[in-house]
């Protein structure tokens, strides 16, 4: 029997994957941490399983009889040791894979996961890929560019001041970004293609229809707010404190700072000559539209 098991199915990526799979008429088991969030997924015909990422037995049970499993590592931006928390989750997920032995696993990874240097939070995804390759399942790593939706966090300050602060420097440098919904759709296509019999791991890179600059993203925010918005460089010395004022733990803020240092060197992109590159269709304005005040 066919059964696709989607962990993190209430998140932007997981929900998009589950929705597309159900639209294709295939069975989906949505694995959730919070039963209170099950109703929308049950309404589209998903079977519901409750499993905390740290509970190996519950995760393995949710994977039972799976044709394929989609996994995404949870990130707690308020964790005292954000990196350690992610590494622990990665280990628990790997243990569940080995216990349940699904034939295929698709893991949502990150642009830059191939880099052996310190890339902050992206180094956690490099660790995930390395650990998952030790598992018995056929692996697909869908490496995602930065999510367009993340820029919605600047709507409030842009609306109040007409300024969008940016850690992407210089402001005119284009960089890859993608809608989370498009990544979820790509994942569904990969799961449905049943191409798990080729070399493992299969590497797929996902980004939007084109690259954007911080200047262009500020314009998109302005269109949403119906006012003029300009991008402004956030001084490097202010990054950590700014992130922590936004509610991130010191540990998580440090991971983001280190990632942006590498990003601004132009090193975070699809791995040259490896795997394949897929482009989503959603542009930045469409991705931000649902956040319209």
């Amino acid at each position: 029997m066919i059964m696709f098991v989607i962990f993190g199915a209430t998140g932007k990526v997981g929900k998009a994957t589950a929705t597309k799979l159900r639209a294709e008429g295939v069975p989906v088991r949505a694995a959730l941490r919070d039963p209170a969030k099950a109703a929308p997924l049950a309404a589209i015909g998903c079977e519901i399983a409750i499993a905390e990422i740290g509970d190996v037995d519950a995760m393995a049970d949710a994977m039972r009889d799976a044709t394929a499993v989609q996994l995404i590592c949870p990130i707690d931006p308020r964790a005292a040791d954000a990196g350690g928390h992610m590494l622990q989750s990665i280990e628990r997920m790997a243990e569940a894979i080995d216990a349940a032995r699904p034939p295929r696993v698709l893991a949502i990874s990150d642009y830059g996961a191939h880099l052996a240097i310190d890339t902050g939070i992206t180094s956690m995804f490099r660790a995930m890929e390395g650990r998952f390759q030790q598992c018995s399942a056929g692996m697909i790593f869908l490496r995602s560019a930065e999510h367009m939706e993340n820029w919605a966090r600047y709507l409030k300050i842009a609306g109040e001041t007409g300024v969008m602060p940016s850690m992407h420097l210089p402001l005119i440098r284009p960089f890859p970004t993608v809608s989370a919904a498009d990544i979820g759709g790509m994942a569904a296509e990969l799961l449905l293609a049943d191409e798990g019999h080729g070399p493992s791991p299969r590497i797929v890179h996902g980004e939007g229809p084109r690259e954007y600059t911080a200047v262009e993203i500020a314009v998109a925010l302005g269109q949403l707010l119906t006012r003029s918005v300009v991008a402004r460089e956030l001084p490097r010395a202010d990054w950590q404190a700014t992130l922590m004022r936004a509610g991130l733990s010191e540990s998580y803020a440090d991971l983001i700072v280190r990632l942006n240092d590498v990003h601004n060197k132009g090193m975070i992109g699809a791995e040259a000559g490896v795997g394949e590159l897929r482009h989503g269709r959603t542009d930045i304005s469409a991705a931000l539209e649902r956040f319209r005040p």
Side-chain angles (χ1 to χ4, degrees):
M1 185 183 77
I2 294 174
M3 176 60 74
F4 294 100
V5 179
I6 310 300
F7 283 81
T10 58
K12 292 187 290 289
V13 173
K15 185 177 181 181
T17 304
T19 300
K20 182 161 187 173
L21 290 173
R22 288 300 302 136
E24 295 293 329
V26 297
V28 174
R29 181 181 299 139
L32 320 176
R33 290 182 288 173
D34 185 356
K37 297 181 178 180
L41 291 157
I44 63 171
C46 292
E47 178 185 325
I48 304 298
I50 305 302
E52 289 279 353
I53 292 298
D55 187 334
V56 174
D57 290 339
M59 285 190 293
D61 188 55
M63 294 179 192
R64 71 185 186 283
D65 304 321
T67 304
V69 173
Q70 179 170 309
L71 288 166
I72 186 165
C73 184
I75 300 172
D76 183 354
R78 293 175 174 80
D81 180 6
H85 183 267
M86 288 184 70
L87 292 173
Q88 185 178 59
S89 295
I90 289 164
E91 183 59 31
R92 298 292 88 78
M93 288 189 289
E95 291 172 4
I97 293 168
D98 284 336
R101 302 181 68 83
R104 287 191 296 143
V105 171
L106 184 151
I108 305 297
S109 188
D110 201 20
Y111 265 32
H114 63 287
L115 297 173
I117 62 173
D118 178 11
T119 54
I121 194 165
T122 297
S123 293
M124 303 300 107
F125 291 95
R126 177 177 175 81
M128 180 192 75
E129 291 189 9
R131 179 64 182 88
F132 282 9
Q133 286 185 65
Q134 299 173 27
C135 298
S136 57
M139 286 288 164
I140 305 171
F141 295 137
L142 175 52
R143 294 176 179 167
S144 171
E146 179 180 354
H147 291 172
M148 294 175 176
E149 291 83 356
N150 291 348
W151 291 91
R153 66 177 63 135
Y154 297 106
L155 276 169
K156 185 175 186 294
I157 188 171
E160 293 172 351
T161 68
V163 172
M164 183 199 79
S166 176
M167 290 183 286
H168 281 274
L169 311 176
L171 299 176
I172 59 172
R173 181 179 60 82
F175 57 89
T177 181
V178 65
S179 166
D182 280 352
I183 289 294
M186 292 177 199
E189 291 169 359
L190 289 164
L191 291 170
L192 288 167
D194 192 22
E195 296 178 4
H197 301 294
S200 180
R202 181 181 180 185
I203 306 293
V204 181
H205 302 91
E207 59 186 68
R210 68 178 182 88
E211 296 186 342
Y212 290 88
T213 67
V215 170
E216 291 175 312
I217 294 172
V219 170
L221 289 180
Q223 291 171 345
L224 203 63
L225 294 164
T226 62
R227 66 159 297 169
S228 175
V229 175
V230 297
R232 183 171 296 165
E233 292 189 4
L234 186 65
R236 172 65 173 76
D238 295 342
W239 290 2
Q240 181 91 7
T242 300
L243 291 167
M244 291 176 67
R245 281 198 300 271
L248 277 60
S249 70
E250 181 178 1
S251 168
Y252 188 72
D254 180 62
L255 291 174
I256 298 300
V257 166
R258 284 187 272 153
L259 170 60
N260 276 279
D261 280 335
V262 180
H263 216 309
N264 292 339
K265 295 175 182 176
M267 299 175 67
I268 301 295
E271 185 178 4
V274 174
E276 62 184 279
L277 174 61
R278 297 193 177 198
H279 289 276
R281 297 179 180 179
T282 306
D283 66 22
I284 189 71
S285 295
L288 293 172
E289 177 61 34
R290 72 182 187 91
F291 300 98
R292 182 181 292 276

